[in-house]
Amino acid sequence: MNPVLHDWALSPSCLKPRLMASLVGVPLDVVAVDAHPGREHRAPAFLALNPAGTLPVLTHGDLVLTETPAMLAFLARLAGRRDWLGPDDPAGAARVQQWLAFSSGLTASLGGLRLHAMLGRDADADALRARGVRSLREVEAALAETRIRGAGTFLLGEAPCIADLAVFPYVALAPDGGVSLDAYPAIRLWCRALRALPGFVGMPGLPPLPTP
Amino acid sequence: MTPDRAALDQWYPVAMAADLPSRPGREARLLGRTVRVFADDGPGAEEGGRALPVALAHDHLWASLGAPGHQPFAIPEGLEPGRRLVGCGALRIRCPALRVVESALARVPFVQAIAAPDAVQVREDADELWATLRVPRPAAGGPPAGPMVRVPHPTCAILYGASSRPGAWDVVALLVQPLDEATCAAWSWMALWDDETPQAELIQARQSVLARDRPRLENLLPPLLPLDPGEGAATRADLLPVAYRRWLARRGWTYGAQGAA
């Protein structure tokens, strides 16, 4: 029985479990939800599944997950790929948790700005942009410091892990909301490294790297 | 730029008919101005208290800031019994409405037919631009002979594609609302021969096509659509975009365009 993903193709949050599943080779049964224009994720049938009315939702038997960090960890373990969970030492494991929590702020700031720009959702665009840019600078600084130390291209060093996948989609799609990534060279390199991973799947606005 | 008379007197899609709030309604942008759309005893739109001409067509509310003097263009396929009508909502794009239509024309899959001279017939009527494929395509997967694309309005295009029903075409209408000269909302509406695909999958597939094109459209230079035939060197593959620009120039269309003669 495959895990079932309730999905909207244009949602960067929904890309997170799809990308994780593809990278570790877990087949998903994907159910499209008419989030726009139908707002099906706010209709009673969907709210019975996820009272928060958010996408994505991942189910596997009785298990219902509505938070993307939980989905990433679940899919990595389901595939027996503990390497994707990140380092095991106290500081490394804590940094993974730090980035997972950080990623929800990106959903609000860069994600909110993107919905405002693409769908015309009401928002204080200037405030969201300011918050989004602060977050981008934080990611840029972390990636640049890791590289300067010679420790690798990814958030936790040499290997990508669930922290990268939690942070990546809203950062990479910031231009959809009118925030350019030109000023963030370490982020752009990191995005390329993720897009080059075997099994990478993208979404509209975020294609895989062209194969040479 | 202030919209000229021709732009003001057009109809534009401003909302899905099924998604109209009651008064005071919802704000919508049109040609750089703010209007309100609503449904009480029937759909309506107003600008600063002034009632605007409105019409319902293709499951959308259309409004005009001027005096259109005609009804919105028809899509006869949408009235055929048995077709499935799918409204896909709008995607906002930071480019002139004309760029979205031009890009759709550039992607009409007729490139393979170019090898055969006159395989594609382009007809530029006063009111409409048509491209028709005159020979059946030998290769599978492409469109059958018949209509390929129709531009009935400066900011709208009707795309015809192969359907599950022999001899019939699926219809995808791209209905673009100019929010102002530099930004637009691209509505999609489809009339399909398809009783099987889940609604959400059809909608997402269509939204994905536009969303994939969106970053490129937002980074075009110049942003406004050049109508001067001396701009750039056209190739045979640009047949439809070039015809579209020529058709706009001949109508004297200027809103969202640059260098119109």
Side-chain angles (χ1 to χ4, degrees):
Chain A
M1 181 185 60
N2 295 333
V4 177
L5 181 71
H6 299 262
D7 178 60
W8 179 37
L10 265 54
S11 157
S13 289
C14 294
L15 175 64
K16 296 176 188 179
R18 261 188 286 128
L19 180 53
M20 182 82 252
S22 177
L23 289 169
V24 298
V26 172
L28 291 180
D29 293 340
V30 175
V31 178
V33 178
D34 177 15
H36 174 76
R39 297 187 69 75
E40 197 186 331
H41 61 312
R42 299 293 159 87
F46 191 88
L47 292 175
L49 181 67
N50 175 13
T54 55
L55 284 166
V57 173
L58 186 76
T59 64
H60 194 229
D62 292 341
L63 182 68
V64 179
L65 300 175
T66 61
E67 299 291 341
T68 49
M71 297 176 205
L72 296 175
F74 171 70
L75 291 167
R77 285 179 189 274
L78 191 64
R81 293 291 301 272
R82 292 194 61 95
D83 52 317
W84 272 98
L85 298 174
D88 242 350
D89 64 287
R95 285 198 181 96
V96 172
Q97 294 301 319
Q98 178 82 11
W99 285 118
L100 294 178
F102 174 87
S103 69
S104 68
L106 295 175
T107 310
S109 59
L110 294 174
L113 195 59
R114 184 171 171 276
L115 286 180
H116 173 70
M118 292 182 83
L119 304 185
R121 291 275 166 81
D122 284 338
D124 182 347
D126 290 339
L128 292 181
R129 187 175 296 106
R131 277 177 60 199
V133 165
R134 271 202 302 277
S135 297
L136 287 176
R137 287 178 182 153
E138 205 173 321
V139 177
E140 174 74 13
L143 290 169
E145 280 166 22
T146 308
R147 281 180 58 73
I148 289 165
R149 288 204 317 274
T153 304
F154 299 100
L155 286 171
L156 272 298
E158 296 289 352
C161 71
I162 56 176
D164 296 281
L165 298 195
V167 174
F168 167 69
Y170 283 104
V171 167
L173 287 164
D176 273 352
V179 176
S180 166
L181 293 177
D182 286 357
Y184 309 99
I187 285 178
R188 285 186 287 127
L189 186 80
W190 168 72
C191 288
R192 283 187 76 86
L194 287 165
R195 289 167 64 205
L197 292 174
F200 178 88
V201 289
M203 60 177 281
L206 186 49
L209 284 184
T211 42
Chain B
M1 192 187 81
T2 320
D4 59 9
R5 183 45 52 195
L8 289 172
D9 284 346
Q10 269 295 352
W11 292 108
Y12 300 97
V14 289
M16 288 175 78
D19 180 35
L20 285 169
S22 49
R23 280 179 189 267
R26 183 172 61 233
E27 278 192 359
R29 296 281 290 167
L30 184 58
L31 303 176
R33 287 149 64 164
T34 301
V35 303
R36 298 197 76 84
V37 298
F38 51 83
D40 284 329
D41 309 322
E46 60 183 34
E47 183 193 30
R50 174 178 72 106
L52 299 175
V54 291
L56 282 180
H58 328 311
D59 296 338
H60 286 71
L61 175 69
W62 298 67
S64 175
L65 292 173
H70 55 83
Q71 285 302 299
F73 61 87
I75 305 179
E77 293 84 358
L79 302 174
E80 292 172 5
R83 283 209 190 238
R84 178 150 163 215
L85 307 179
V86 183
C88 303
L91 207 61
R92 290 185 179 219
I93 310 176
R94 205 177 56 247
C95 73
L98 305 181
R99 284 288 193 187
V100 179
V101 173
E102 188 205 35
S103 175
L105 296 181
R107 277 143 197 263
V108 172
F110 76 108
V111 177
Q112 298 89 334
I114 290 174
D118 305 324
V120 175
Q121 181 188 38
V122 175
R123 210 177 75 219
E124 297 174 44
D125 297 345
D127 290 340
E128 303 207 353
L129 174 70
W130 280 86
T132 309
L133 190 62
R134 294 205 288 199
V135 293
R137 282 273 309 285
M148 304 174 73
V149 66
R150 169 186 169 211
V151 181
H153 177 296
T155 70
C156 299
I158 318 290
L159 310 168
Y160 296 83
S163 79
S164 61
R165 193 179 169 150
W169 293 270
D170 278 343
V171 170
V172 176
L174 180 62
L175 315 170
V176 190
Q177 168 188 3
L179 302 174
D180 53 42
E181 197 164 27
T183 54
C184 65
W187 303 87
S188 294
W189 179 80
M190 310 192 286
L192 309 177
W193 294 108
D194 183 335
D195 297 325
E196 287 168 15
T197 314
Q199 182 91 347
E201 282 182 25
L202 292 171
I203 292 172
Q204 294 192 16
R206 178 62 201 153
Q207 289 174 345
S208 295
V209 170
L210 277 174
R212 270 194 288 275
D213 208 17
R214 187 174 176 273
R216 193 185 62 81
L217 287 168
E218 295 200 333
N219 286 288
L220 288 170
L221 284 175
L224 297 179
L225 185 69
L227 295 188
D228 182 345
E231 282 280 334
T235 71
R236 183 83 174 120
D238 299 325
L239 179 67
L240 289 182
V242 167
Y244 173 61
R245 294 183 188 199
R246 198 167 50 216
W247 179 76
L248 288 171
R250 214 171 36 237
R251 293 171 64 111
W253 191 268
T254 60
Y255 196 75
Q258 75 166 29

PDB file of all heavy atoms in Angstrom, chain B residues 29 137 140 167 235 248 256-257:
ATOM      1  N   ARG B  29      -9.129  44.705 -10.575  1.00  0.00           N
ATOM      2  CA  ARG B  29      -8.419  45.726 -11.344  1.00  0.00           C
ATOM      3  C   ARG B  29      -8.692  45.501 -12.823  1.00  0.00           C
ATOM      4  O   ARG B  29      -8.767  44.360 -13.306  1.00  0.00           O
ATOM      5  CB  ARG B  29      -6.904  45.629 -11.104  1.00  0.00           C
ATOM      6  CG  ARG B  29      -6.488  45.910  -9.681  1.00  0.00           C
ATOM      7  CD  ARG B  29      -6.448  47.396  -9.370  1.00  0.00           C
ATOM      8  NE  ARG B  29      -5.353  48.077 -10.054  1.00  0.00           N
ATOM      9  CZ  ARG B  29      -5.255  49.404 -10.134  1.00  0.00           C
ATOM     10  NH1 ARG B  29      -6.182  50.170  -9.588  1.00  0.00           N
ATOM     11  NH2 ARG B  29      -4.236  49.953 -10.751  1.00  0.00           N
ATOM     12  N   ARG B 137      -2.344  15.230 -40.032  1.00  0.00           N
ATOM     13  CA  ARG B 137      -0.988  14.940 -39.610  1.00  0.00           C
ATOM     14  C   ARG B 137      -0.756  13.444 -39.643  1.00  0.00           C
ATOM     15  O   ARG B 137      -1.537  12.692 -39.074  1.00  0.00           O
ATOM     16  CB  ARG B 137      -0.776  15.431 -38.187  1.00  0.00           C
ATOM     17  CG  ARG B 137      -0.564  16.921 -38.095  1.00  0.00           C
ATOM     18  CD  ARG B 137       0.901  17.246 -38.287  1.00  0.00           C
ATOM     19  NE  ARG B 137       1.708  16.405 -37.381  1.00  0.00           N
ATOM     20  CZ  ARG B 137       1.797  16.609 -36.088  1.00  0.00           C
ATOM     21  NH1 ARG B 137       1.136  17.595 -35.530  1.00  0.00           N
ATOM     22  NH2 ARG B 137       2.538  15.819 -35.347  1.00  0.00           N
ATOM     23  N   ALA B 140       1.291  10.342 -35.068  1.00  0.00           N
ATOM     24  CA  ALA B 140       0.312  10.307 -33.988  1.00  0.00           C
ATOM     25  C   ALA B 140       0.665  11.360 -32.940  1.00  0.00           C
ATOM     26  O   ALA B 140       1.796  11.828 -32.867  1.00  0.00           O
ATOM     27  CB  ALA B 140       0.287   8.925 -33.354  1.00  0.00           C
ATOM     28  N   GLY B 167     -12.504  13.173 -34.664  1.00  0.00           N
ATOM     29  CA  GLY B 167     -13.079  14.248 -35.463  1.00  0.00           C
ATOM     30  C   GLY B 167     -13.507  15.457 -34.661  1.00  0.00           C
ATOM     31  O   GLY B 167     -14.040  16.415 -35.215  1.00  0.00           O
ATOM     32  N   THR B 235      11.285  34.241 -37.943  1.00  0.00           N
ATOM     33  CA  THR B 235      11.496  33.039 -38.743  1.00  0.00           C
ATOM     34  C   THR B 235      10.143  32.413 -39.014  1.00  0.00           C
ATOM     35  O   THR B 235       9.118  32.857 -38.505  1.00  0.00           O
ATOM     36  CB  THR B 235      12.380  32.029 -38.000  1.00  0.00           C
ATOM     37  OG1 THR B 235      11.625  31.484 -36.912  1.00  0.00           O
ATOM     38  CG2 THR B 235      13.642  32.674 -37.471  1.00  0.00           C
ATOM     39  N   LEU B 248      -2.779  43.036 -34.545  1.00  0.00           N
ATOM     40  CA  LEU B 248      -2.960  44.085 -33.532  1.00  0.00           C
ATOM     41  C   LEU B 248      -2.627  45.459 -34.100  1.00  0.00           C
ATOM     42  O   LEU B 248      -3.346  46.435 -33.880  1.00  0.00           O
ATOM     43  CB  LEU B 248      -2.061  43.806 -32.318  1.00  0.00           C
ATOM     44  CG  LEU B 248      -2.440  42.655 -31.399  1.00  0.00           C
ATOM     45  CD1 LEU B 248      -1.305  42.411 -30.393  1.00  0.00           C
ATOM     46  CD2 LEU B 248      -3.748  42.927 -30.674  1.00  0.00           C
ATOM     47  N   GLY B 256      -0.551  47.942 -23.898  1.00  0.00           N
ATOM     48  CA  GLY B 256       0.360  46.819 -23.663  1.00  0.00           C
ATOM     49  C   GLY B 256       1.333  46.611 -24.800  1.00  0.00           C
ATOM     50  O   GLY B 256       2.100  45.653 -24.777  1.00  0.00           O
ATOM     51  N   ALA B 257       1.294  47.499 -25.787  1.00  0.00           N
ATOM     52  CA  ALA B 257       2.163  47.363 -26.956  1.00  0.00           C
ATOM     53  C   ALA B 257       3.094  48.565 -27.042  1.00  0.00           C
ATOM     54  O   ALA B 257       2.823  49.620 -26.466  1.00  0.00           O
ATOM     55  CB  ALA B 257       1.335  47.260 -28.229  1.00  0.00           C
TER      56      ALA B 257
END
